[in-house]
Amino acid sequence: LRRNHQECFIAWLSGLPSIFDSCYYYNRSAKDDIGAILEETENEKNRYTEEQAADLLSRVIYREIVKATGRY
């Protein structure tokens, strides 16, 4: 199985707790977290399953880290 950096990062986030507060995989609502970040209404948040929201949130976190490091 071949993965790109983003896929590896998401797999790492979904593993054991780490320095990132990625608890949305375990005991938080990723729908609530991504909804707050994207300033979504309840109806907009409900477009996602919890799994879809966790994936989107992980991708947003990855994008922001890459952007902050200047490594596009």
Side-chain angles (χ1 to χ4, degrees), residues 24-66:
Y24 54 89
Y25 280 99
Y26 306 105
N27 62 0
R28 293 179 53 105
S29 171
K31 287 171 68 170
D32 289 341
D33 290 346
I34 195 67
I37 291 168
L38 300 178
E39 299 178 349
E40 295 181 322
T41 66
E42 283 297 316
N43 285 337
E44 290 171 323
K45 285 189 329 189
N46 288 327
R47 294 180 307 198
Y48 311 111
T49 64
E50 200 60 42
E51 184 177 312
Q52 290 169 326
D55 184 64
L56 177 58
L57 185 53
S58 296
R59 292 178 188 283
V60 168
I61 292 168
Y62 179 81
R63 183 192 69 203
E64 292 303 312
I65 290 171
V66 169

